Amino acid sequence: MSHTARLSAENQPAKENGPTHRILRIDASSRVTGSHSRTLADYFEQQWLRKRRDAEIRRRDLASDPIPHIAPETIAGFYTPPEQMTGELRAATAVSDTLIDELQSADILLLSTPIYNFSVPSALKAWIDQVVRIGKTVAYDGKNFTGLVTGKRAFVICAYGAAGYAGKGPLTPFDHLAPYLKLLLGFIGISDTRVITVEATSADAATVSESIGTANREIEAAVAALP
Ligand SMILES: Cc1cc2nc3c(=O)[nH]c(=O)nc-3n(C[C@H](O)[C@H](O)[C@H](O)COP(=O)(O)O)c2cc1C
């Protein structure tokens, strides 16, 4: 089967009883326990499973199962026409193929991540560099880019230690996490992206609890609005 045909088939809803039941959950916090972004993603999952008992959730934990950085052979493979691929290049692009298949097979991307040094954790950047790929997730005609990851929506849960990033706060210019992820997902074709943030996770217990409560209400509203 040609690659194009395979992608189109994967973009179809898997079951007839609803288009949004397959979730790809990706967690990026280095903290496997005590992580606010992961706890909020758990809550999203619980809410979603209450609503759709037939939901399938596939998880990818970027901390427990790190994605390798792209190597020179990976880049060579990305730009080699299929008929010229060698065994070595196929091996070097196998991780990318797997990650792209996972993404294309999902209806919903649930991505949880902290901000590290004003940007994405390197574990998540490694995933991004494997997934953003000309001819597979984005088409380029020499002039324009067109995203190929269509028919999906994304929920991105972002945890910030400080307060003041959201709502034009004083740290907004330092936020290279949420705006970047929205842009990046849009670039590959996922234009329906909702960001849910929890800020001030390094603050006192009462402030943290209030921030989490607000994020939980946002998650409930987001899941309720899903078909
Ligand atoms: C290496 C590192 C860098 C961080 N950089 C920032 C930052 O730039 N801005 C910020 O608000 N918080 C920063 N933090 C705090 C985390 O974003 C915060 O603790 C968040 O809750 C972590 O996500 P988690 O709770 O899901 O693990 C940083 C934390 C670490 C470990």
Side-chain angles (χ1 to χ4, degrees):
M1 193 187 304
S2 78
H3 180 69
T4 315
R6 188 159 55 86
L7 281 190
S8 332
E10 282 171 354
N11 282 339
Q12 300 305 311
K15 286 185 186 164
E16 282 153 17
N17 62 347
T20 54
H21 76 291
R22 292 172 301 182
I23 296 182
L24 172 62
R25 171 173 170 179
I26 298 178
D27 295 297
S29 174
S30 295
R31 298 199 292 186
V32 176
T33 57
S35 154
H36 296 289
S37 55
R38 286 172 187 264
T39 303
L40 288 169
D42 289 343
Y43 190 64
F44 185 105
E45 243 191 65
Q46 287 161 16
Q47 294 295 307
W48 180 243
L49 284 169
R50 274 178 58 183
K51 182 168 171 146
R52 289 291 298 261
R53 288 177 198 282
D54 62 336
E56 292 165 20
I57 299 177
R58 181 183 271 186
R59 294 186 185 80
R60 186 158 278 280
D61 187 332
L62 302 180
S64 307
D65 189 10
I67 303 297
H69 289 156
I70 50 170
E73 300 76 27
T74 324
I75 299 170
F78 283 179
Y79 293 99
T80 300
E83 64 281 5
Q84 289 171 28
M85 287 289 273
T86 62
E88 187 195 18
L89 294 178
R90 262 192 283 278
T93 51
V95 169
S96 170
D97 291 341
T98 300
L99 298 177
I100 290 170
D101 281 349
E102 277 179 8
L103 183 59
Q104 289 286 13
S105 300
D107 302 303
I108 294 178
L109 171 66
L110 171 61
L111 171 60
S112 83
T113 178
I115 189 168
Y116 285 166
N117 300 309
F118 308 114
S119 187
V120 289
S122 57
L124 178 54
K125 186 60 165 52
W127 180 86
I128 289 169
D129 290 344
Q130 296 276 5
V131 163
V132 180
R133 186 167 159 192
I134 300 288
K136 295 263 186 182
T137 52
V138 63
Y140 182 58
D141 63 6
K143 213 168 163 194
N144 298 304
F145 293 96
T146 308
L148 299 174
V149 188
T150 54
K152 306 179 195 314
R153 60 181 98 205
F155 294 89
V156 179
I157 296 174
C158 297
Y160 299 79
Y165 292 93
K168 298 202 169 79
L171 290 179
T172 300
F174 293 82
D175 187 1
H176 299 284
L177 178 68
Y180 167 67
L181 288 173
K182 274 196 95 160
L183 181 143
L184 191 279
L185 292 173
F187 181 66
I188 61 172
I190 307 177
S191 52
D192 186 352
T193 294
R194 176 155 177 181
V195 176
I196 295 165
T197 61
V198 59
E199 289 200 329
T201 63
S202 309
D204 59 276
T207 306
V208 173
S209 161
E210 196 183 320
S211 299
I212 291 170
T214 305
N216 281 341
R217 299 295 87 74
E218 266 193 70
I219 288 169
E220 287 160 17
V223 172
L226 281 168

Short mmCIF file of all heavy atoms in Angstrom, two decimals, residues 5-61:
data_model
loop_
_atom_site.label_atom_id
_atom_site.label_comp_id
_atom_site.label_asym_id
_atom_site.label_seq_id
_atom_site.Cartn_x
_atom_site.Cartn_y
_atom_site.Cartn_z
N ALA A 5 -1.87 6.39 0.59
CA ALA A 5 -3.11 5.65 0.86
C ALA A 5 -3.19 5.27 2.33
O ALA A 5 -4.24 5.35 2.94
CB ALA A 5 -3.16 4.40 0.00
N ARG A 6 -2.03 4.90 2.87
CA ARG A 6 -2.04 4.47 4.27
C ARG A 6 -2.42 5.65 5.18
O ARG A 6 -3.22 5.52 6.08
CB ARG A 6 -0.65 3.94 4.64
CG ARG A 6 -0.57 3.30 5.99
CD ARG A 6 0.63 2.38 6.08
NE ARG A 6 1.85 3.08 5.75
CZ ARG A 6 2.56 3.77 6.61
NH1 ARG A 6 2.17 3.85 7.85
NH2 ARG A 6 3.66 4.37 6.25
N LEU A 7 -1.85 6.82 4.88
CA LEU A 7 -2.16 7.99 5.70
C LEU A 7 -3.63 8.34 5.61
O LEU A 7 -4.26 8.64 6.60
CB LEU A 7 -1.32 9.20 5.26
CG LEU A 7 0.12 9.22 5.74
CD1 LEU A 7 0.73 10.57 5.43
CD2 LEU A 7 0.22 8.96 7.22
N SER A 8 -4.20 8.29 4.38
CA SER A 8 -5.60 8.66 4.27
C SER A 8 -6.46 7.69 5.06
O SER A 8 -7.41 8.09 5.71
CB SER A 8 -6.10 8.64 2.84
OG SER A 8 -5.08 8.88 1.98
N ALA A 9 -6.12 6.41 5.01
CA ALA A 9 -6.90 5.43 5.75
C ALA A 9 -6.83 5.72 7.24
O ALA A 9 -7.83 5.67 7.94
CB ALA A 9 -6.39 4.03 5.46
N GLU A 10 -5.65 6.08 7.71
CA GLU A 10 -5.50 6.33 9.15
C GLU A 10 -6.24 7.56 9.59
O GLU A 10 -6.59 7.71 10.75
CB GLU A 10 -4.01 6.48 9.49
CG GLU A 10 -3.32 5.14 9.54
CD GLU A 10 -1.82 5.27 9.64
OE1 GLU A 10 -1.32 6.39 9.56
OE2 GLU A 10 -1.19 4.22 9.79
N ASN A 11 -6.47 8.48 8.66
CA ASN A 11 -7.14 9.71 9.04
C ASN A 11 -8.65 9.54 9.19
O ASN A 11 -9.33 10.43 9.66
CB ASN A 11 -6.86 10.81 8.01
CG ASN A 11 -5.47 11.39 8.24
OD1 ASN A 11 -4.93 11.26 9.31
ND2 ASN A 11 -4.92 12.01 7.21
N GLN A 12 -9.15 8.37 8.79
CA GLN A 12 -10.59 8.16 8.93
C GLN A 12 -10.91 7.81 10.38
O GLN A 12 -10.12 7.18 11.06
CB GLN A 12 -11.04 6.98 8.05
CG GLN A 12 -10.78 7.19 6.57
CD GLN A 12 -11.38 8.46 6.05
OE1 GLN A 12 -12.55 8.71 6.30
NE2 GLN A 12 -10.60 9.27 5.37
N PRO A 13 -12.12 8.20 10.86
CA PRO A 13 -12.52 7.77 12.19
C PRO A 13 -12.52 6.25 12.27
O PRO A 13 -12.91 5.58 11.33
CB PRO A 13 -13.95 8.31 12.33
CG PRO A 13 -14.05 9.40 11.31
CD PRO A 13 -13.10 9.05 10.21
N ALA A 14 -12.06 5.70 13.42
CA ALA A 14 -11.92 4.25 13.52
C ALA A 14 -13.23 3.54 13.73
O ALA A 14 -13.41 2.42 13.31
CB ALA A 14 -10.98 3.90 14.65
N LYS A 15 -14.18 4.17 14.44
CA LYS A 15 -15.43 3.49 14.72
C LYS A 15 -16.59 4.37 14.30
O LYS A 15 -16.44 5.59 14.20
CB LYS A 15 -15.52 3.18 16.21
CG LYS A 15 -14.61 2.03 16.60
CD LYS A 15 -14.81 1.67 18.05
CE LYS A 15 -13.79 0.62 18.46
NZ LYS A 15 -13.69 0.50 19.90
N GLU A 16 -17.73 3.73 14.11
CA GLU A 16 -18.85 4.49 13.59
C GLU A 16 -19.57 5.29 14.66
O GLU A 16 -20.35 6.17 14.37
CB GLU A 16 -19.85 3.54 12.93
CG GLU A 16 -19.35 3.12 11.54
CD GLU A 16 -19.88 1.77 11.14
OE1 GLU A 16 -20.85 1.32 11.75
OE2 GLU A 16 -19.30 1.16 10.22
N ASN A 17 -19.33 4.97 15.94
CA ASN A 17 -20.12 5.62 16.98
C ASN A 17 -19.52 6.94 17.45
O ASN A 17 -19.92 7.48 18.46
CB ASN A 17 -20.33 4.69 18.17
CG ASN A 17 -19.01 4.30 18.81
OD1 ASN A 17 -17.96 4.53 18.23
ND2 ASN A 17 -19.08 3.72 19.98
N GLY A 18 -18.58 7.46 16.76
CA GLY A 18 -18.06 8.77 17.16
C GLY A 18 -16.65 8.97 16.66
O GLY A 18 -15.90 8.02 16.57
N PRO A 19 -16.33 10.20 16.35
CA PRO A 19 -15.04 10.44 15.72
C PRO A 19 -13.89 10.68 16.68
O PRO A 19 -12.76 10.75 16.25
CB PRO A 19 -15.31 11.71 14.90
CG PRO A 19 -16.37 12.42 15.67
CD PRO A 19 -17.16 11.38 16.40
N THR A 20 -14.14 10.82 17.96
CA THR A 20 -13.05 11.27 18.82
C THR A 20 -12.87 10.33 20.01
O THR A 20 -13.17 10.66 21.14
CB THR A 20 -13.33 12.69 19.36
OG1 THR A 20 -14.60 12.69 19.97
CG2 THR A 20 -13.26 13.71 18.27
N HIS A 21 -12.41 9.15 19.75
CA HIS A 21 -12.26 8.22 20.86
C HIS A 21 -10.84 7.70 21.03
O HIS A 21 -10.55 7.02 21.98
CB HIS A 21 -13.24 7.05 20.72
CG HIS A 21 -12.81 6.07 19.70
ND1 HIS A 21 -12.80 6.37 18.38
CD2 HIS A 21 -12.33 4.82 19.83
CE1 HIS A 21 -12.35 5.33 17.71
NE2 HIS A 21 -12.05 4.37 18.56
N ARG A 22 -9.96 8.02 20.11
CA ARG A 22 -8.58 7.52 20.24
C ARG A 22 -7.68 8.67 20.69
O ARG A 22 -7.53 9.66 19.98
CB ARG A 22 -8.08 6.96 18.91
CG ARG A 22 -8.79 5.69 18.50
CD ARG A 22 -8.40 5.29 17.11
NE ARG A 22 -8.73 6.35 16.15
CZ ARG A 22 -8.53 6.25 14.84
NH1 ARG A 22 -8.02 5.16 14.33
NH2 ARG A 22 -8.86 7.25 14.04
N ILE A 23 -7.10 8.49 21.86
CA ILE A 23 -6.26 9.55 22.41
C ILE A 23 -4.81 9.07 22.41
O ILE A 23 -4.52 7.95 22.84
CB ILE A 23 -6.67 9.89 23.87
CG1 ILE A 23 -8.09 10.45 23.88
CG2 ILE A 23 -5.70 10.88 24.49
CD1 ILE A 23 -8.57 10.86 25.25
N LEU A 24 -3.94 9.91 21.91
CA LEU A 24 -2.51 9.69 22.11
C LEU A 24 -2.08 10.64 23.21
O LEU A 24 -2.17 11.86 23.06
CB LEU A 24 -1.73 9.99 20.83
CG LEU A 24 -0.20 9.98 21.00
CD1 LEU A 24 0.31 8.61 21.45
CD2 LEU A 24 0.49 10.43 19.72
N ARG A 25 -1.67 10.06 24.34
CA ARG A 25 -1.22 10.89 25.45
C ARG A 25 0.31 10.88 25.50
O ARG A 25 0.93 9.82 25.54
CB ARG A 25 -1.79 10.36 26.77
CG ARG A 25 -1.16 11.05 27.96
CD ARG A 25 -1.80 10.69 29.25
NE ARG A 25 -1.01 11.20 30.36
CZ ARG A 25 -1.33 11.06 31.63
NH1 ARG A 25 -2.46 10.44 31.95
NH2 ARG A 25 -0.55 11.54 32.58
N ILE A 26 0.85 12.07 25.54
CA ILE A 26 2.31 12.21 25.62
C ILE A 26 2.64 13.04 26.86
O ILE A 26 2.10 14.13 27.04
CB ILE A 26 2.86 12.91 24.36
CG1 ILE A 26 2.55 12.05 23.13
CG2 ILE A 26 4.35 13.17 24.49
CD1 ILE A 26 2.99 12.66 21.82
N ASP A 27 3.49 12.49 27.73
CA ASP A 27 3.93 13.21 28.92
C ASP A 27 5.40 13.56 28.80
O ASP A 27 6.22 12.72 28.41
CB ASP A 27 3.72 12.35 30.17
CG ASP A 27 2.25 12.07 30.43
OD1 ASP A 27 1.50 13.03 30.66
OD2 ASP A 27 1.85 10.89 30.38
N ALA A 28 5.72 14.81 29.16
CA ALA A 28 7.10 15.27 28.94
C ALA A 28 7.83 15.65 30.21
O ALA A 28 9.04 15.89 30.16
CB ALA A 28 7.10 16.46 27.98
N SER A 29 7.13 15.72 31.36
CA SER A 29 7.84 16.13 32.58
C SER A 29 8.86 15.07 32.98
O SER A 29 8.58 13.87 32.93
CB SER A 29 6.86 16.30 33.74
OG SER A 29 7.59 16.55 34.93
N SER A 30 10.04 15.54 33.38
CA SER A 30 11.06 14.60 33.88
C SER A 30 10.62 13.97 35.20
O SER A 30 11.17 12.94 35.60
CB SER A 30 12.39 15.33 34.11
OG SER A 30 12.90 15.79 32.89
N ARG A 31 9.65 14.61 35.86
CA ARG A 31 9.15 14.04 37.13
C ARG A 31 8.05 13.04 36.82
O ARG A 31 6.98 13.41 36.31
CB ARG A 31 8.58 15.15 38.02
CG ARG A 31 9.62 16.16 38.40
CD ARG A 31 9.20 16.94 39.60
NE ARG A 31 8.06 17.83 39.35
CZ ARG A 31 7.61 18.69 40.24
NH1 ARG A 31 8.18 18.77 41.43
NH2 ARG A 31 6.59 19.47 39.97
N VAL A 32 8.34 11.79 37.13
CA VAL A 32 7.32 10.77 36.87
C VAL A 32 6.29 10.76 38.00
O VAL A 32 5.12 10.47 37.78
CB VAL A 32 7.99 9.38 36.67
CG1 VAL A 32 6.95 8.29 36.50
CG2 VAL A 32 8.90 9.43 35.45
N THR A 33 6.72 11.14 39.21
CA THR A 33 5.77 11.33 40.30
C THR A 33 5.86 12.79 40.76
O THR A 33 6.90 13.43 40.62
CB THR A 33 6.05 10.40 41.50
OG1 THR A 33 7.39 10.64 41.93
CG2 THR A 33 5.89 8.95 41.14
N GLY A 34 4.75 13.28 41.30
CA GLY A 34 4.72 14.65 41.81
C GLY A 34 4.67 15.70 40.71
O GLY A 34 4.91 16.88 40.97
N SER A 35 4.32 15.28 39.52
CA SER A 35 4.27 16.21 38.38
C SER A 35 2.86 16.78 38.23
O SER A 35 1.89 16.03 38.11
CB SER A 35 4.67 15.46 37.11
OG SER A 35 4.10 16.07 35.97
N HIS A 36 2.76 18.09 38.21
CA HIS A 36 1.45 18.73 38.07
C HIS A 36 0.89 18.53 36.65
O HIS A 36 -0.31 18.30 36.48
CB HIS A 36 1.55 20.22 38.40
CG HIS A 36 1.92 20.48 39.81
ND1 HIS A 36 1.05 20.24 40.86
CD2 HIS A 36 3.08 20.91 40.37
CE1 HIS A 36 1.66 20.53 42.01
NE2 HIS A 36 2.89 20.93 41.74
N SER A 37 1.75 18.60 35.65
CA SER A 37 1.25 18.43 34.28
C SER A 37 0.72 17.01 34.07
O SER A 37 -0.33 16.81 33.44
CB SER A 37 2.33 18.77 33.25
OG SER A 37 3.50 18.02 33.47
N ARG A 38 1.41 16.02 34.64
CA ARG A 38 0.94 14.64 34.50
C ARG A 38 -0.36 14.42 35.27
O ARG A 38 -1.26 13.70 34.81
CB ARG A 38 2.00 13.67 35.02
CG ARG A 38 3.20 13.50 34.10
CD ARG A 38 4.27 12.68 34.79
NE ARG A 38 5.50 12.63 34.02
CZ ARG A 38 5.84 11.64 33.20
NH1 ARG A 38 5.05 10.59 33.08
NH2 ARG A 38 6.98 11.67 32.54
N THR A 39 -0.45 15.02 36.47
CA THR A 39 -1.66 14.86 37.28
C THR A 39 -2.87 15.45 36.55
O THR A 39 -3.96 14.87 36.54
CB THR A 39 -1.48 15.52 38.65
OG1 THR A 39 -0.34 14.96 39.27
CG2 THR A 39 -2.69 15.32 39.55
N LEU A 40 -2.66 16.58 35.90
CA LEU A 40 -3.77 17.18 35.14
C LEU A 40 -4.13 16.33 33.92
O LEU A 40 -5.30 16.20 33.57
CB LEU A 40 -3.42 18.61 34.72
CG LEU A 40 -3.41 19.62 35.88
CD1 LEU A 40 -2.80 20.95 35.45
CD2 LEU A 40 -4.82 19.85 36.43
N ALA A 41 -3.12 15.75 33.28
CA ALA A 41 -3.41 14.85 32.15
C ALA A 41 -4.18 13.62 32.64
O ALA A 41 -5.08 13.13 31.95
CB ALA A 41 -2.12 14.45 31.45
N ASP A 42 -3.84 13.12 33.84
CA ASP A 42 -4.60 12.01 34.44
C ASP A 42 -6.07 12.42 34.59
O ASP A 42 -6.98 11.64 34.31
CB ASP A 42 -4.07 11.65 35.83
CG ASP A 42 -2.71 10.97 35.80
OD1 ASP A 42 -2.31 10.49 34.72
OD2 ASP A 42 -2.04 10.94 36.86
N TYR A 43 -6.27 13.64 35.06
CA TYR A 43 -7.64 14.12 35.28
C TYR A 43 -8.39 14.22 33.95
O TYR A 43 -9.56 13.83 33.86
CB TYR A 43 -7.61 15.47 36.01
CG TYR A 43 -8.97 15.91 36.49
CD1 TYR A 43 -9.65 15.17 37.45
CD2 TYR A 43 -9.58 17.05 35.98
CE1 TYR A 43 -10.91 15.55 37.88
CE2 TYR A 43 -10.84 17.45 36.42
CZ TYR A 43 -11.50 16.69 37.37
OH TYR A 43 -12.74 17.07 37.80
N PHE A 44 -7.70 14.70 32.93
CA PHE A 44 -8.32 14.78 31.59
C PHE A 44 -8.74 13.37 31.16
O PHE A 44 -9.87 13.16 30.69
CB PHE A 44 -7.32 15.37 30.58
CG PHE A 44 -7.92 15.60 29.22
CD1 PHE A 44 -8.24 16.88 28.78
CD2 PHE A 44 -8.16 14.54 28.36
CE1 PHE A 44 -8.80 17.09 27.52
CE2 PHE A 44 -8.71 14.74 27.10
CZ PHE A 44 -9.03 16.02 26.69
N GLU A 45 -7.83 12.43 31.34
CA GLU A 45 -8.10 11.04 30.97
C GLU A 45 -9.33 10.49 31.69
O GLU A 45 -10.21 9.88 31.08
CB GLU A 45 -6.90 10.20 31.39
CG GLU A 45 -6.19 9.55 30.25
CD GLU A 45 -5.18 8.53 30.76
OE1 GLU A 45 -5.58 7.51 31.37
OE2 GLU A 45 -4.01 8.78 30.55
N GLN A 46 -9.36 10.73 33.03
CA GLN A 46 -10.50 10.23 33.83
C GLN A 46 -11.81 10.82 33.33
O GLN A 46 -12.81 10.12 33.18
CB GLN A 46 -10.33 10.62 35.30
CG GLN A 46 -9.28 9.83 36.05
CD GLN A 46 -8.86 10.57 37.32
OE1 GLN A 46 -9.53 11.49 37.78
NE2 GLN A 46 -7.72 10.18 37.86
N GLN A 47 -11.80 12.12 33.09
CA GLN A 47 -13.01 12.79 32.61
C GLN A 47 -13.43 12.22 31.26
O GLN A 47 -14.60 11.97 31.01
CB GLN A 47 -12.76 14.29 32.47
CG GLN A 47 -12.51 15.01 33.77
CD GLN A 47 -13.74 14.98 34.67
OE1 GLN A 47 -14.83 15.36 34.26
NE2 GLN A 47 -13.57 14.50 35.88
N TRP A 48 -12.45 12.01 30.41
CA TRP A 48 -12.74 11.51 29.07
C TRP A 48 -13.28 10.09 29.13
O TRP A 48 -14.24 9.74 28.43
CB TRP A 48 -11.47 11.59 28.21
CG TRP A 48 -11.67 11.10 26.81
CD1 TRP A 48 -11.07 10.05 26.23
CD2 TRP A 48 -12.56 11.65 25.84
NE1 TRP A 48 -11.52 9.90 24.95
CE2 TRP A 48 -12.44 10.86 24.68
CE3 TRP A 48 -13.46 12.72 25.84
CZ2 TRP A 48 -13.18 11.11 23.54
CZ3 TRP A 48 -14.19 12.97 24.69
CH2 TRP A 48 -14.04 12.17 23.56
N LEU A 49 -12.70 9.25 30.01
CA LEU A 49 -13.15 7.86 30.10
C LEU A 49 -14.56 7.77 30.71
O LEU A 49 -15.32 6.85 30.40
CB LEU A 49 -12.17 7.03 30.94
CG LEU A 49 -10.87 6.68 30.20
CD1 LEU A 49 -9.84 6.09 31.16
CD2 LEU A 49 -11.14 5.70 29.05
N ARG A 50 -14.91 8.73 31.55
CA ARG A 50 -16.28 8.76 32.08
C ARG A 50 -17.26 9.06 30.96
O ARG A 50 -18.39 8.59 30.95
CB ARG A 50 -16.40 9.84 33.16
CG ARG A 50 -16.00 9.35 34.53
CD ARG A 50 -16.07 10.43 35.57
NE ARG A 50 -17.41 11.00 35.68
CZ ARG A 50 -17.71 12.02 36.49
NH1 ARG A 50 -16.78 12.55 37.24
NH2 ARG A 50 -18.93 12.49 36.55
N LYS A 51 -16.80 9.89 30.03
CA LYS A 51 -17.69 10.30 28.93
C LYS A 51 -17.73 9.25 27.83
O LYS A 51 -18.78 8.96 27.27
CB LYS A 51 -17.18 11.63 28.37
CG LYS A 51 -18.01 12.19 27.27
CD LYS A 51 -17.64 13.63 26.97
CE LYS A 51 -18.36 14.06 25.72
NZ LYS A 51 -18.75 15.44 25.73
N ARG A 52 -16.57 8.70 27.51
CA ARG A 52 -16.48 7.73 26.42
C ARG A 52 -15.81 6.46 26.94
O ARG A 52 -14.60 6.37 26.97
CB ARG A 52 -15.68 8.31 25.26
CG ARG A 52 -16.38 9.42 24.49
CD ARG A 52 -17.57 8.92 23.70
NE ARG A 52 -17.21 7.95 22.69
CZ ARG A 52 -17.05 8.24 21.40
NH1 ARG A 52 -17.24 9.46 20.96
NH2 ARG A 52 -16.74 7.31 20.54
N ARG A 53 -16.63 5.49 27.33
CA ARG A 53 -16.06 4.26 27.89
C ARG A 53 -15.32 3.44 26.83
O ARG A 53 -14.53 2.56 27.16
CB ARG A 53 -17.18 3.41 28.51
CG ARG A 53 -17.68 4.01 29.79
CD ARG A 53 -18.82 3.23 30.39
NE ARG A 53 -19.52 4.08 31.36
CZ ARG A 53 -19.08 4.32 32.57
NH1 ARG A 53 -17.96 3.77 32.99
NH2 ARG A 53 -19.76 5.09 33.39
N ASP A 54 -15.59 3.73 25.56
CA ASP A 54 -14.92 2.98 24.49
C ASP A 54 -13.61 3.65 24.08
O ASP A 54 -12.99 3.25 23.10
CB ASP A 54 -15.84 2.87 23.27
CG ASP A 54 -16.17 4.23 22.68
OD1 ASP A 54 -16.11 5.24 23.42
OD2 ASP A 54 -16.50 4.29 21.48
N ALA A 55 -13.20 4.66 24.84
CA ALA A 55 -11.98 5.39 24.44
C ALA A 55 -10.75 4.49 24.51
O ALA A 55 -10.64 3.63 25.38
CB ALA A 55 -11.78 6.59 25.35
N GLU A 56 -9.89 4.71 23.55
CA GLU A 56 -8.61 4.00 23.55
C GLU A 56 -7.55 5.04 23.87
O GLU A 56 -7.49 6.06 23.19
CB GLU A 56 -8.30 3.43 22.17
CG GLU A 56 -9.22 2.32 21.72
CD GLU A 56 -9.08 2.08 20.22
OE1 GLU A 56 -8.06 2.47 19.62
OE2 GLU A 56 -10.03 1.51 19.67
N ILE A 57 -6.74 4.76 24.87
CA ILE A 57 -5.69 5.71 25.21
C ILE A 57 -4.33 5.05 25.05
O ILE A 57 -4.05 4.03 25.66
CB ILE A 57 -5.87 6.24 26.65
CG1 ILE A 57 -7.22 6.96 26.74
CG2 ILE A 57 -4.72 7.21 27.01
CD1 ILE A 57 -7.59 7.47 28.09
N ARG A 58 -3.55 5.63 24.17
CA ARG A 58 -2.18 5.14 23.97
C ARG A 58 -1.25 6.16 24.62
O ARG A 58 -1.42 7.36 24.44
CB ARG A 58 -1.91 5.06 22.47
CG ARG A 58 -0.54 4.54 22.15
CD ARG A 58 -0.30 4.55 20.65
NE ARG A 58 -0.74 3.31 20.04
CZ ARG A 58 -0.53 3.03 18.75
NH1 ARG A 58 0.06 3.89 17.96
NH2 ARG A 58 -0.92 1.89 18.25
N ARG A 59 -0.31 5.66 25.41
CA ARG A 59 0.55 6.59 26.14
C ARG A 59 1.99 6.53 25.66
O ARG A 59 2.48 5.44 25.34
CB ARG A 59 0.55 6.25 27.63
CG ARG A 59 -0.77 6.47 28.29
CD ARG A 59 -0.67 6.26 29.79
NE ARG A 59 -1.99 6.35 30.39
CZ ARG A 59 -2.88 5.38 30.40
NH1 ARG A 59 -2.57 4.21 29.85
NH2 ARG A 59 -4.07 5.55 30.94
N ARG A 60 2.61 7.68 25.64
CA ARG A 60 4.05 7.74 25.37
C ARG A 60 4.66 8.64 26.43
O ARG A 60 4.34 9.82 26.52
CB ARG A 60 4.32 8.27 23.96
CG ARG A 60 5.79 8.19 23.65
CD ARG A 60 6.07 8.18 22.19
NE ARG A 60 5.94 6.88 21.55
CZ ARG A 60 6.88 5.92 21.59
NH1 ARG A 60 7.98 6.08 22.27
NH2 ARG A 60 6.70 4.78 20.95
N ASP A 61 5.53 8.03 27.22
CA ASP A 61 6.17 8.74 28.32
C ASP A 61 7.59 9.10 27.89
O ASP A 61 8.46 8.23 27.79
CB ASP A 61 6.18 7.83 29.56
CG ASP A 61 6.67 8.55 30.79
OD1 ASP A 61 7.47 9.50 30.65
OD2 ASP A 61 6.26 8.16 31.90
#
